Amino acid sequence: MAEQGIEKVTVDRMSAPEPTKLHYIDGRPTEITLRRLQLEVMRNGRLESHSFERDVVTIGASDENDLVLADETVSRQHCRIFQEGQSYLVRDLGSTNGTFVNRVRVREAYLEPGCTLSLGTSELRFVAATEKLRIVPSDKPRFGDLIGRHLKMRELYAILEKIAPTDATVVIEGETGTGKEVVARSTHQASLRASGPFMVFDCGAVPENLIESELFGHEKGAFTGATAARQGVFEMAHGGTVFLDELGELALELQPKLLRVLEQREVKRVGGTRPIKVDVRVVAATNRDLQAEVRRGSFRQDLFYRLSVVRVALPPLRERKDDVPLLLQQFLKLGRFNRGADGQRRVRQISRPALDRLLAYDWPGNVRELHNVVERACSFADTDAIEVRDLPEHIAFPRGTGVEVEGVPTPAELEDDLRPDVNGTFKDAKDAWVQTFERDYVESLLRRNGGNISHAAREADIDRKYFRKLMKKHGITPA
């Protein structure tokens, strides 16, 4: 019986656990394996079972632990169990009476299903439960703020509906502009942390010398300009979710510190000595192939495996063009750019010829580019409908067509307008042409990337600082 796009298949409680992962056949997700950590505790002659859908579990006598043991022989923070690759490890946290695995005292050890953990006089049995669920595409046209009826989107909804309530770390893969932040925010809103903060950190938009301070915070006097102590993103997200955008841009030297946060759920501020506990879920996004980055040595393998508890792929818009009308209507309905002085919608529909142009276009900038095109068209529209003449030239007149629309220059006319001025010296004419090219090129990239300077510079394959220099030179703003 299918439920919320997922059909239960099997539950295996004692064999060696598989990692939480998606299974694919011919590029299509068919099954998801969910790994749960289960601990059985004997209390007052009764066996209690505790199940955790998170990859780090702390055990101790204080209330801040995931599993609290009311035992005088158990330390306040006694030990931690966490995933590493396909295995679970237990690490003693400097407890007074030690942590024992099958009666052997350990500082850190791998756990096998069925083994016994002894903490003071308390005994626990470690059980690794694996649940396999068949993915059945959702029958809903949306998940949170995600919109689309295409099969790939409904398969994604089925996956997100299952993993959102857990604390599993998620990596979202997809091209620029596909809506990775929307996936992260919708996942947070459907989780048990929905009432907590949702903090966004773009690893590619912050100068490298400030990333550590922004992520982990700093103490007063830690560096020049640190006039007061400051919380980092992880501290501010306590009880909620941290979304790490453009994870592939994170400097190699900072990756071990991120790994420490993921494993130990604590941060150490720049200039500080005291570790600070944080309770966060991590969702990351990248438009890079992280496995390829690992092979190149620019991304740590241990961090890659630590993050890749669940990896989901967001399809580009060109692979789900039948969702374009649905997205367009949503933008017209909710976009503030489509409101008049009276608060009413100015544009309510799109003509068939204009929609045909949108459906024929391949959308290299994906949903973000579509949003920008709709916003531009609304500002040009003279009626309550978007016409072909309101669309950008490269969409209204795709190369090779001879279509003409009143009020819009033809490709031949555009070509005439772009011819350089040949008056004056060769140097002057060349300089004028280069200046025009630079300005138009930078503006076009910014439009296509929704004003995101980091993404535009990356597409141009030039340094972000040089891209900013070009913007300043031509008086261009991100807007």
Side-chain angles (χ1 to χ4, degrees):
M1 184 72 180
E3 180 182 353
Q4 292 186 342
I6 297 287
E7 182 180 342
K8 184 174 291 190
V9 181
T10 59
V11 176
D12 184 357
R13 297 179 69 252
M14 288 302 298
S15 60
E18 292 185 62
T20 296
K21 64 180 180 181
L22 291 170
H23 305 266
Y24 292 84
I25 295 179
D26 296 331
R28 296 275 304 282
T30 59
E31 191 176 83
I32 181 171
T33 297
L34 286 177
R35 182 168 62 173
R36 292 187 177 90
L37 187 158
Q38 283 187 302
L39 294 171
E40 295 177 346
V41 186
M42 185 65 71
R43 296 185 201 257
N44 301 321
R46 291 173 43 234
L47 187 66
E48 295 181 0
S49 182
H50 300 266
S51 180
F52 302 93
E53 291 184 323
R54 57 175 61 192
D55 44 12
V56 178
V57 174
T58 57
I59 307 172
S62 67
D63 292 339
E64 63 186 14
N65 292 283
D66 300 307
L67 177 58
V68 179
L69 298 177
D71 183 342
E72 292 181 353
T73 63
V74 173
S75 298
R76 289 178 57 81
Q77 294 177 349
H78 200 103
C79 66
R80 176 184 294 112
I81 299 176
F82 59 95
Q83 294 180 28
E84 186 175 277
Q86 297 189 23
S87 303
Y88 280 103
L89 280 83
V90 62
R91 178 179 294 159
D92 186 78
L93 300 178
S95 65
T96 302
N97 294 316
T99 299
F100 294 78
V101 177
N102 291 338
R103 309 300 179 189
V104 177
R105 184 165 183 167
V106 299
R107 181 176 296 171
E108 184 176 283
Y110 286 99
L111 297 177
E112 293 293 333
C115 71
T116 300
L117 274 172
S118 301
L119 285 62
T121 60
S122 296
E123 286 202 350
L124 301 79
R125 193 166 76 106
F126 169 73
V127 181
T130 298
E131 185 176 7
K132 291 187 177 181
L133 305 166
R134 185 173 294 119
I135 296 173
V136 180
S138 174
D139 57 359
K140 301 172 184 175
R142 64 186 304 157
F143 174 82
D145 293 330
L146 282 169
I147 298 173
R149 294 193 182 97
H150 191 277
L151 177 61
K152 290 185 177 181
M153 294 301 291
R154 292 187 290 112
E155 288 173 339
L156 177 64
Y157 302 160
I159 296 166
L160 296 177
E161 285 167 359
K162 190 61 184 178
I163 65 172
T166 75
D167 262 353
T169 303
V170 182
V171 173
I172 307 162
E173 300 172 332
E175 296 178 7
T176 296
T178 48
K180 296 187 287 294
E181 183 175 338
V182 180
V183 175
R185 193 177 296 275
S186 298
T187 301
H188 169 74
Q189 292 169 347
S191 74
L192 301 178
R193 298 174 175 269
S195 60
F198 178 80
M199 300 298 298
V200 179
F201 183 82
D202 189 336
C203 298
V206 179
E208 287 190 10
N209 61 321
L210 294 179
I211 288 181
E212 185 174 1
S213 171
E214 291 291 323
L215 278 176
F216 311 124
H218 62 254
E219 298 290 356
K220 180 179 180 180
F223 49 84
T224 303
T227 57
R230 183 179 182 276
Q231 289 185 328
V233 168
F234 278 94
E235 283 185 73
M236 290 188 283
H238 185 75
T241 302
V242 170
F243 174 53
L244 300 176
D245 198 8
E246 301 302 338
L247 179 67
E249 305 297 323
L250 189 65
L252 194 60
E253 59 270 19
L254 289 176
Q255 293 176 20
K257 297 182 179 181
L258 176 58
L259 181 62
R260 175 186 174 88
V261 175
L262 294 173
E263 286 187 348
Q264 302 189 15
R265 289 300 193 265
E266 61 184 30
V267 297
K268 192 177 290 184
R269 293 178 180 176
V270 177
T273 57
R274 179 177 61 90
I276 301 170
K277 294 290 181 183
V278 290
D279 173 24
V280 297
R281 181 191 196 166
V282 175
V283 179
T286 180
N287 60 8
R288 295 193 180 195
D289 183 345
L290 290 185
Q291 284 184 304
E293 298 295 319
V294 169
R295 290 193 293 270
R296 279 195 289 267
S298 59
F299 201 85
R300 289 177 62 103
Q301 186 177 46
D302 50 2
L303 179 58
F304 171 75
Y305 286 122
R306 190 68 189 77
L307 285 163
S308 300
V309 177
V310 177
R311 294 167 64 193
V312 296
L314 198 53
L317 187 55
R318 63 181 172 275
E319 293 181 4
R320 57 180 189 109
K321 287 186 181 179
D322 48 343
D323 283 338
V324 167
L326 192 65
L327 291 164
L328 187 145
Q329 289 299 328
Q330 185 75 359
F331 296 152
L332 291 179
K333 179 180 178 181
L334 300 180
R336 285 186 290 180
F337 56 80
N338 191 29
R339 300 286 173 181
D342 57 358
Q344 298 299 310
R345 289 165 60 184
R346 293 177 51 253
V347 177
R348 295 183 174 274
Q349 57 188 325
I350 183 170
S351 70
R352 185 70 230 187
L355 180 59
D356 288 342
R357 298 294 201 284
L358 297 183
L359 293 173
Y361 185 58
D362 269 347
W363 301 105
N366 293 293
V367 179
R368 182 186 293 124
E369 184 182 6
L370 174 62
H371 182 277
N372 292 343
V373 166
V374 174
E375 181 174 356
R376 176 195 187 276
C378 286
S379 67
F380 278 82
D382 295 324
T383 67
D384 69 344
I386 294 174
E387 303 291 347
V388 173
R389 62 174 175 269
D390 303 321
L391 300 176
E393 289 80 1
H394 64 285
I395 297 177
F397 303 111
R399 188 181 297 274
T401 65
V403 181
E404 295 186 14
V405 177
E406 183 181 354
V408 180
T410 65
E413 291 170 335
L414 289 171
E415 187 176 338
D416 287 339
D417 291 340
L418 290 173
R419 285 183 179 139
D421 185 359
V422 295
N423 295 321
T425 66
F426 171 80
K427 182 178 183 302
D428 290 342
K430 179 183 176 183
D431 287 346
W433 180 239
V434 169
Q435 296 289 325
T436 300
F437 162 75
E438 286 182 351
R439 184 182 64 251
D440 293 346
Y441 182 71
V442 170
E443 287 180 341
S444 175
L445 278 176
L446 285 171
R447 278 196 301 270
R448 191 155 60 243
N449 288 279
N452 188 304
I453 297 173
S454 296
H455 294 172
R458 193 176 303 117
E459 184 178 337
D461 196 23
I462 60 178
D463 185 76
R464 188 169 64 246
K465 293 180 181 178
Y466 181 63
F467 196 88
R468 286 183 178 276
K469 183 178 178 181
L470 289 175
M471 290 173 60
K472 184 177 181 181
K473 175 181 177 182
H474 296 289
I476 300 170
T477 64

